[in-house]
Amino acid sequence: MTVQNQQNSLQIPFLDVVEVEETGLTGGQPILVKKEPKVRDLGYVAEKYKEKEAPESFQRPESWSKVEFKKYLHSILMDRIEGSIVVVDIDSCIHRLQQVAPNDRALRLFLALKEKGRKYIVLDGNNRLSFMIRLVNGDYTIPEGEYSYIRDPQDTSVSTFRVKRGKDKFSDLPPIVQDVILGRAVVISEYSQIGYDGLSEVFLNTNSGVFPNGQEIRNSFNSPWADYVRVLRSECAVLLGYMFSDFKKRYCGDEWIAQTLDFCLQAVDDSQLNEELQIGVQFNPVTSSSMNYLYRSTFLSPKDQVLYRDNFITLMDWITQMIDEADDATTIKEIKRKTTVQNLLFMMSHGIKTYEQAVTAVQLMDDEYKSGNAIIDDITYKNACEGFRKVNVEIRYQILTQIIDEVLN
């Protein structure tokens, strides 16, 4: 595929975002309009909001385990549901944004979700709402055992019932228990007008109790970098799977991608390099602040979008092939080392072009990693791979550029 064809194939996820970022909002940033919070029956909530979506820009992926499902069922049965569920009325927002801010990128999100048949966006409480829907619709298998429940908020006594194997769906519960569950009170907070920046703001505010980590905050930025990293994560799922047991948890895979891009694009400035004197290189640490700065910076050109995307895809193919060709588990573990993969992408941006060169580079990296040679003061290459302070970046750069020269020459 030629570069031009690749650019065309990327226009929807990447290049169109840049256009919106540059043109801005003709109608200004829309104010947030929210209905007064309502207390609704759980049965009503599970039915009304079942056609919902939780965009990964503004919600953590569903992550509850069987233990958490059971605990929340217990909360429902004992009438201990806490916290509101925050939703956005898609139809209402489309109507209002078309009038007040037709160029806000949230409008495109709403229109795309409406075309998928979605009616609401969930900004907070998606795990809770999803569980309610699954429970009432019979998609949740209730663990076998005895359960306690409170029939009425005024009751001072606890009733019990038993769930047996094969009779473990909502419809199998005693009628009184079904009525109790369907009648539990749920607080709904619904927005009828909100723009993209507002979506981000509400996400951060509603998560103030369990504050989002740095990458979860960056993921909600109104920035084409956030879209780019999410697409790279989707396309490089196999690569991330080698390094993380669950690369979507707290967006650790996205953070690794953002960190790698920051390392390649901002951590080393060799534009003033004097090769003869070996001076002129500036080094910067890779931190949460530097990655935030990257997300707020001017986005990549269309050509560089394609370049880095192709490098990530090629990196995934090469690492997969190296693993397939490895002789033992120890070698595979070394190939999968996060910093090895990260440093190889850096070298691909600085001269490594073929699979054979990549294999040699990985072997040389591993040799240096095990050598224990001090590079600056008493810091080794292995030490440098444990973080991204300024000195770590400098040592990585020294070793990686030496390896590139050795491989190419």
Side-chain angles (χ1 to χ4, degrees), residues 337-349:
R337 190 182 295 132
K338 296 182 183 70
T339 50
T340 296
V341 180
Q342 194 168 59
N343 291 343
L344 179 56
L345 187 80
F346 179 89
M347 290 193 286
M348 290 169 66
S349 304

Side-chain angles (χ1 to χ4, degrees), residues 299-313:
F299 191 41
L300 294 169
S301 68
K303 180 179 178 181
D304 284 341
Q305 290 176 47
V306 174
L307 173 64
Y308 279 97
R309 183 257 191 182
D310 285 354
N311 278 352
F312 272 99
I313 298 297

Side-chain angles (χ1 to χ4, degrees), residues 2-3 14 18 34 73 75 107 139 158 175 182 243 253 287 300 357 407:
T2 65
V3 170
F14 302 154
V18 180
K34 183 174 73 170
L73 174 61
S75 297
L107 181 57
D139 296 325
V158 175
L182 294 175
M243 297 179 285
T287 64
L300 294 169
Q357 292 173 348
V407 169

Side-chain angles (χ1 to χ4, degrees), residues 101 106 120 143 150 185 201 223 229 233 240 268 289 299 337 364 385:
Y120 295 94
I150 296 175
E201 179 185 344
S223 163
V229 169
R233 179 238 296 160
L240 296 173
V268 179
S289 295
F299 191 41
R337 190 182 295 132
L364 291 172
C385 288

Side-chain angles (χ1 to χ4, degrees), residues 21 43 52 62 83 88 107 114 124 162 209 216 219 230 259 265 306 311 326 330 334 352 378 400:
E21 187 76 10
K52 53 88 174 175
E62 288 189 35
V88 174
L107 181 57
K114 182 177 181 179
D124 190 49
R162 175 166 287 279
E216 288 171 328
N219 186 57
R230 283 193 294 271
Q259 191 180 63
L265 294 167
V306 174
N311 278 352
T330 300
E334 292 165 353
I352 298 298
D378 59 347
L400 298 181

